[in-house]
Amino acid sequence: MTFSEQIVYAMFKPSKYKEMIELKKGRFVLFVVVIMFALGIIRVAVPTAATITGFGGFENLFTKKIAPFEFKEGKLDIEKRFEMSLGVYKIVVDTEDERLPDDKMNRKGGYIAFGSKYVTVAVYSGGSVTRIKEVSLDDLLTDGFNNNSLKQLIPFIYTYLTVSFVITCIGYFLKYALLSLIFLIFINGLNKAAGFGLSMGEMFKLCFYGQTLGIIISNANMALGLLPAGIVSGICVVISVNMIFSGMSGMNKMNQV
């Protein structure tokens, strides 16, 4: 069985699960790594790359998009107000006031707002601003910090993004491994009653394979924002359960070759 067949069978042919759980552990581990890596690309890498491309790269952002600024003697000063959207947050740099006033955060969504002395994390909703956290810039920036200082941080930013990507992939694995264990609890009774003789490891593999189609559909929908995530996730759970039990039916000795 080739690796591409392993992926296709996991998504569309539960009757092949018996053969798949008998593959070497290394094949299953590689399958999991590739699926989690694909999720990371769909949910994190592609949107992040699109955002970075949108503002022309960090160097262009820090040296051309953001007006000249400097933090000196405990006060931030920028020549011209700067604002950009980053996901659900708007990043604003407006140093006319020590902290950005509520009347300048008047659009729905989250804010990371820099005033001359404070940075504020806030949310505008229902006609009012809720300030979540406020930090003094003295605690964040060194004296003389400016556009060139940001430029020098670019390698660290890319390192942070890479580490975040890896951590996100690990997070996806933990999430779907936990779901596999939950599904395993339900099929273990059937395994014993029908005398399939599957080990815990084999049942775990079966449950992970059975989730593959649901995992892809659910995360692709979240990335594209086509339908309400809760509804699609519920449908995908049903799909996964159906795939797992269909795979279990192929374990019946009468169906084995």
Side-chain angles (χ1 to χ4, degrees), residues 96-157:
E96 288 187 354
D97 302 280
E98 290 188 355
R99 52 177 61 81
L100 197 69
D102 288 1
D103 60 7
K104 290 186 177 181
M105 292 186 281
N106 54 13
R107 284 181 290 168
K108 185 177 180 181
Y111 283 83
I112 300 175
F114 292 81
S116 63
K117 291 191 174 182
Y118 298 94
V119 57
T120 304
V121 178
V123 175
Y124 177 86
S125 180
S128 63
V129 174
T130 301
R131 293 176 181 264
I132 299 172
K133 189 174 181 63
E134 189 169 85
V135 179
S136 171
L137 291 177
D138 270 325
D139 297 329
L140 296 177
L141 306 178
T142 58
D143 195 65
F145 191 88
N146 56 22
N147 301 71
N148 189 56
S149 302
L150 274 179
K151 180 181 175 181
Q152 293 175 0
L153 291 176
I154 291 176
F156 298 98
I157 293 173

Side-chain angles (χ1 to χ4, degrees), residues 130-257:
T130 301
R131 293 176 181 264
I132 299 172
K133 189 174 181 63
E134 189 169 85
V135 179
S136 171
L137 291 177
D138 270 325
D139 297 329
L140 296 177
L141 306 178
T142 58
D143 195 65
F145 191 88
N146 56 22
N147 301 71
N148 189 56
S149 302
L150 274 179
K151 180 181 175 181
Q152 293 175 0
L153 291 176
I154 291 176
F156 298 98
I157 293 173
Y158 279 114
T159 299
Y160 169 78
L161 292 175
T162 301
V163 172
S164 296
F165 173 80
V166 173
I167 292 174
T168 298
C169 292
I170 293 173
Y172 284 132
F173 167 71
L174 295 176
K175 173 184 177 180
Y176 292 112
L178 177 61
L179 284 174
S180 294
L181 291 174
I182 293 173
F183 289 136
L184 185 154
I185 293 172
F186 289 100
I187 69 169
N188 189 39
L190 177 60
N191 176 52
K192 292 179 179 179
F196 295 147
L198 298 177
S199 67
M200 297 294 284
E202 289 173 330
M203 285 188 289
F204 179 83
K205 290 180 183 179
L206 174 67
C207 292
F208 207 100
Y209 283 132
Q211 291 185 79
T212 306
L213 180 59
I215 288 172
I216 298 299
I217 293 174
S218 176
N219 285 279
N221 177 70
M222 288 183 184
L224 298 173
L226 300 177
L227 297 170
I231 294 176
V232 174
S233 294
I235 293 172
C236 288
V237 168
V238 174
I239 292 173
S240 297
V241 170
N242 180 65
M243 295 292 283
I244 291 168
F245 278 95
S246 295
M248 284 292 287
S249 69
M251 305 294 166
N252 193 302
K253 292 180 179 180
M254 293 180 62
N255 297 327
Q256 294 179 11
V257 177

Side-chain angles (χ1 to χ4, degrees), residues 13-159:
K13 282 195 172 186
S15 61
K16 293 286 188 178
Y17 286 179
K18 179 183 181 297
E19 296 177 38
M20 293 168 67
I21 65 175
E22 292 174 349
L23 294 173
K24 293 180 179 179
K25 286 184 180 180
R27 292 287 298 275
F28 175 70
V29 171
L30 178 60
F31 175 87
V32 171
V33 170
V34 169
I35 294 298
M36 297 305 105
F37 186 77
L39 293 187
I41 291 175
I42 293 172
R43 295 289 302 280
V44 178
V46 171
T48 301
T51 300
I52 294 173
T53 301
F55 54 67
F58 286 111
E59 183 171 350
N60 183 67
L61 173 66
F62 296 155
T63 61
K64 296 181 180 179
K65 295 282 187 179
I66 301 177
F69 72 86
E70 185 176 16
F71 181 72
K72 192 173 183 179
E73 297 179 352
K75 185 177 180 180
L76 180 66
D77 183 60
I78 190 168
E79 288 187 3
K80 181 181 178 183
R81 173 188 167 99
F82 171 79
E83 181 175 339
M84 70 173 288
S85 294
L86 189 63
V88 297
Y89 281 91
K90 298 173 186 66
I91 298 177
V92 180
V93 184
D94 187 333
T95 57
E96 288 187 354
D97 302 280
E98 290 188 355
R99 52 177 61 81
L100 197 69
D102 288 1
D103 60 7
K104 290 186 177 181
M105 292 186 281
N106 54 13
R107 284 181 290 168
K108 185 177 180 181
Y111 283 83
I112 300 175
F114 292 81
S116 63
K117 291 191 174 182
Y118 298 94
V119 57
T120 304
V121 178
V123 175
Y124 177 86
S125 180
S128 63
V129 174
T130 301
R131 293 176 181 264
I132 299 172
K133 189 174 181 63
E134 189 169 85
V135 179
S136 171
L137 291 177
D138 270 325
D139 297 329
L140 296 177
L141 306 178
T142 58
D143 195 65
F145 191 88
N146 56 22
N147 301 71
N148 189 56
S149 302
L150 274 179
K151 180 181 175 181
Q152 293 175 0
L153 291 176
I154 291 176
F156 298 98
I157 293 173
Y158 279 114
T159 299

